[in-house]
Amino acid sequence: MDGFMMDIIKGMCIMDNDGNRILAKYYDKNILSTLKEQKAFEKNLFNKTHRSNTEIIMLDGLTCVYKSNVDLFFYVMGSAYENELILLSVLNCLYDSISLILKKNVEKRLVLESLEIIMLAFDEICDGGIILDADPSSVVKRVDLRNDDIPIAEQTVAQVLQSAREQLKWSILK
Amino acid sequence: MGSFRRDKDEEEDGPTNIYQNLEKTSVLQETRTFNETPVNARKCIHILTKILYLINQGEQLAAREATDCFFAMTKLFQSKDVVLRRMVYLGIKELSSIAEDVIIVTSSLTKDMTGKEDLYRAAAIRALCSITDHTMLQAVERYMKQCIVDKNAAVSCAALVSSLRLATTAGDVVKRWANEAQEALNSDNIMVQYHALGLLYHIRKSDRLAVSKLVNKLTRSSMKSPYAVCMLIRIACKLIEEEDIPSEELSDSPLFTFIESCLRHKSEMVIYEAAHAIVNLKNTNPRVLSPAFSILQLFCSSPKATLRFAAVRTLNKVAMTHPAAVTTCNLDLEGLITDSNRSVATLAITTLLKTGAESSVERLMKQISSFVAEISDEFKIVVVQAICALCTKYPRKHTVLMNFLSGMLREEGGLEYKTSIVDTIITIIEENADAKESGLSHLCEFIEDCEHVSLAVRILHLLGKEGPFAATPSKYIRFIYNRVILESPIVRAAAVTALSQFGASCPALLSNILVLLGRCQMDPDDEVRDRATYYLSILNSEKPELYKNYIIERENCSLALLEKALSDHLNGELNSRFDISIVPKAAIVKEEISNDMMLITNTPRVPKITREEESAARLALLPGIQVLGPIHRTTAPIQLTESETEYTVQCIKHIFAQHVVFQFDCLNTLSEQFLENVRVDLTLPEGYTTRAVIQCPKLAYNELQTTFVIVEFPPDAASSVASFGATLRFVVKDCDPVTGEPDSDEGYNDEYMLEDLEITVADQIQKTKKNNFQVAWDAADSEEWLQAEDTFVLSAVSTLQDAVNSIVKILGLGAANLSEKVPEGTHLHTLLCSGNFRGGAEVLVRAKLALSEGVTLNLTVRSTDQDVAELITAAIG
């Protein structure tokens, strides 16, 4: 591939603490192109990484940098020849963006609640393997466009209860 | 309490379950909501998210479903909700490859891309480019150019990145955007800078002068983006390698000065990139290396695992090229052996093993055994490979290493891990005669309790091959016969074959073997019984030549070529019998030894194919090639021009029984020339006749095309060794360097001198590997075989090893019984080698060498063809 200098990211992935894929994107047509290969790779990756938090691992000819928080695992994959620090900078951007979007509560439930925004963030960080942006604040500025005040009429009972509970929780914690 | 707990669990799980158990059809049904007016943005976002989630989980949409969904989505352009619009773009990108008629949204996207809302524009550009093809690009070209230089950084980035994507399919259009990219390069935004550099480089990369100008300019201005600087370092490195700057002039090169200055950059990313680049340069000297190595050494003790990993990986990679420099980091590497990150620890230990001295082997092995149980199989394999390299380097240490390996073999582990250990032991056995007995007994122990059928079969095969020639062959028979009693049919069959090898090669054991084989005839499995009966009847015949041909040396045909020969035969006239002897024997394929121990792959290994099999497929396209019969041998390519001349030509010789096909791969490096009717004219030596010339009709700039010449060998083998003059002839047409179209139909003839070609003896011989040369040699002492003998004094070489190397090279034969390795400190040596001459004549060579003021050589050649035997003796003189 001629674009060897720009196609840096081979894949990005978020998994839960059972190793299930929440979001995953693979950018190189020649690597892990089928679902079966991807699932096998993810299973292997998760087994190798979920117990030890050591930041970086080589697997199946890919360099994977990773980070975990509460019940989530974040991975960024690059070729075995790639500058690991570039990959790390992308991982940090992915994690920090999500942390900003979720107001520091990086956990599975909230990720799923804001899944659309997280999907947009994925898309803003990497476009088909090229790093599009690595600055979390500028990524978040472009994707977190939600209008927080939901008209009360459109909220479901569960959502109302949820927000009430959150408020209660915070008032107790204070 | 219990019920409370359950309630709590349900509560917790409740919201997480929204995306679980989604069903594709029902979610796709929900897309009907998209048609409602006014659009309920919240609801639609949720549905779109569900669809994208399903796709991301790997759910496949059929073209029909995707198209329906895509069209439903287009309704959502009515809504002004920002998030919804962005999700629609995302949906377009995801579905664009599956759905049909996606171009329908072009106008909506173009509107968003040129509109006022910045939040739409950047994402709209990227969505648009995912659905645009070459023809439609013209329509949006103007907008793209504007967007590249847009003052909004996100828009500019999106346009630049999309242009890079488009460049693969519509390179000529994107080339016209170079000026805009150049302007974007001056942007203050770091990402815009980076992407602009990427695009500019891509546009110019085939023009070295332009790249070099670009780099020289940029290295002087300091770029802010660390990514851009990293990329610039890579480009600079590529230029340095291409220009082949000698090591002593490196410090004067502005390119290198730039890379060196990056070692003092404030970003670690750039510092590492620069250090990595310097240590990987081809031509370096200790003075320029030392600062780079100090950086890597510093990184080794960093608290960040990634930095340590990066540093050790780099050190590991260059351990073979710069052992001395890597040794200076040994102290730091030893500190990393106990690193909490196992990848770092393993890399550290393998680096140490690569650079380690013979004296430190024991200490290192002790250190490895302290942690080997904790690491994953992949890394164990890396360690095993490092040990394998070490064995080759220090053959005297084989006892320590072999014991260590057999210890590893006894531990738990997967098939791949065990395979790599067995491979290593086999390599040691093959390379080191002293280690053979102990290696074989370790392997015997291993198959006593081996769950992997494939490994047991391999080891049994090896025992059958090597066991009969060990000091006490009888001790292996018990291990082998145990397999016949205890194992599955496949292993039993392999054991029967191994037993028969002992019967054929050790007359003393024959009667015992016959009893054992007789018992195997009662086996419940067909294959085992068949093999036992087969070997029993051969061994009962007591004819040594039958032993040789049907037990000891059963050569296998190259399967790919056998298949081809058989299908050719079926397509032919079928009035003659198929002759299997003309199919080339399976040759040993040398594996590429990669210096990079880093790659740990689980991907299945690509089946190895020989050059002959590769070229058979390629030559099959030539008209009339079938009459030449099956291919005998393909030589490695030879350059007939200097590199970096106007035209570069390389030649590959395909040898057939009576013909040689010269394949010329031509490359035209002049962008203003278009060549036609390209062919190579050969000046033939006496005896050779040209049979056909296949021209290459068109050779455009930078395209690799091929032309062939088919020549028949002279009838007598003696005059087949000759040299050929070669000239490249063609018609030149001037053309436009950009489009490659010829300016006019007028062209003129021109020619270009190439270097001379040679056909040597080695070209005509396919090497074979005899398991037991002596048996073959003795059997060749019969009437069908002819012998030639001669004595020479080789004055050009001073050591026996050099003499052996050059004989093997000149004759192109395969050495047997490890005789290509001359033991140290000896004055006499016998080289045994064998091969097949084109046309099928077998060749056996025994070369006795003696060292005394130069090397004296007594060469005995036995062959089924007198001419060939003489040709070979003549080749040495």
Side-chain angles (χ1 to χ4, degrees), chain A residues 36-59:
Chain A
K36 210 175 135 210
E37 285 169 351
Q38 291 174 5
K39 290 279 179 189
F41 174 79
E42 281 166 24
K43 187 165 168 252
N44 202 355
L45 182 62
F46 182 75
N47 285 339
K48 293 265 187 301
T49 53
H50 76 286
R51 260 173 279 131
S52 61
N53 200 2
T54 48
E55 202 170 291
I56 185 161
I57 187 176
M58 289 285 295
L59 195 69

Side-chain angles (χ1 to χ4, degrees), chain A residues 11-27:
Chain A
M12 298 203 295
C13 175
I14 305 178
M15 284 193 246
D16 69 9
N17 57 353
D18 297 318
N20 297 317
R21 172 196 286 194
I22 293 175
L23 270 185
K25 276 276 186 195
Y26 295 90
Y27 300 107

Side-chain angles (χ1 to χ4, degrees), chain A residues 21 25 55 82 84 89 128, chain B residues 56 94 165 227 306 313:
Chain A
R21 172 196 286 194
K25 276 276 186 195
E55 202 170 291
E82 196 44 73
E84 291 84 353
S89 75
Chain B
N56 196 273
E94 285 294 338
R165 290 271 157 252
Y227 298 112
T306 307
R313 183 179 67 95

Side-chain angles (χ1 to χ4, degrees), chain A residues 1-8 16 20-25 35 38-39 44 48 52 54-63 65-66 80-86 88-90 108-109 112-113 115-117 119-120 123-124 126-134 141-147 150-151 154 159 162 165, chain B residues 11-12 15-16 18-20 40 42 45 49 52-53 55-58 82-83 86-87 90 93-94 119 123 126 154 157-158 161 164-165 168 191 194-195 198-199 201-202 205 227 230-231 234-235 238 268-270 272-273 276 299 304-307 309-310 313 317 340-341 343-344 376 378-379 596 598-602:
Chain A
M1 174 71 201
D2 293 323
F4 75 99
M5 298 204 179
M6 295 298 277
D7 286 320
I8 284 173
D16 69 9
N20 297 317
R21 172 196 286 194
I22 293 175
L23 270 185
K25 276 276 186 195
L35 181 69
Q38 291 174 5
K39 290 279 179 189
N44 202 355
K48 293 265 187 301
S52 61
T54 48
E55 202 170 291
I56 185 161
I57 187 176
M58 289 285 295
L59 195 69
D60 293 359
L62 290 175
T63 302
V65 287
Y66 63 100
Y81 307 100
E82 196 44 73
N83 183 331
E84 291 84 353
L85 302 180
I86 294 184
L88 188 65
S89 75
V90 176
K108 182 180 171 183
R109 187 174 57 85
L112 285 175
E113 259 173 36
L115 193 63
E116 68 275 13
I117 304 299
M119 283 178 174
L120 291 177
D123 183 56
E124 286 290 343
C126 177
D127 181 280
I130 299 177
I131 304 169
L132 199 57
D133 202 340
K141 206 173 75 199
R142 291 212 296 270
V143 299
D144 201 5
L145 311 160
R146 283 174 303 185
N147 195 347
I150 310 163
E154 276 193 34
Q159 278 171 323
Q162 178 72 28
R165 197 183 302 135
Chain B
E11 257 168 43
E12 296 264 290
T16 61
I18 21 175
Y19 294 105
Q20 262 170 26
N40 182 339
R42 177 157 294 276
I45 291 173
T49 314
L52 291 175
Y53 180 80
I55 296 177
N56 196 273
Q57 290 295 316
V82 204
V83 179
R86 295 287 297 276
M87 290 304 281
L90 215 52
K93 284 204 281 187
E94 285 294 338
L119 287 169
R126 292 193 289 130
C157 281
V161 170
L164 259 170
R165 290 271 157 252
T168 49
M191 287 321 279
Y194 171 54
H195 294 134
L199 183 60
Y201 175 71
H202 188 88
K205 67 169 183 255
Y227 298 112
C230 284
M231 179 162 175
R234 291 182 196 185
I235 304 174
K238 202 162 168 255
E268 277 175 341
M269 190 193 292
V270 177
Y272 168 63
E273 184 75 43
H276 177 86
F299 280 5
K304 276 196 215 160
T306 307
L307 266 180
F309 179 90
R313 183 179 67 95
K317 187 157 173 255
S340 60
N341 186 323
S343 311
V344 173
S376 67
E378 281 100 14
F379 284 119
D596 201 5
M598 296 283 310
L599 288 176
I600 305 158
T601 51
N602 279 347

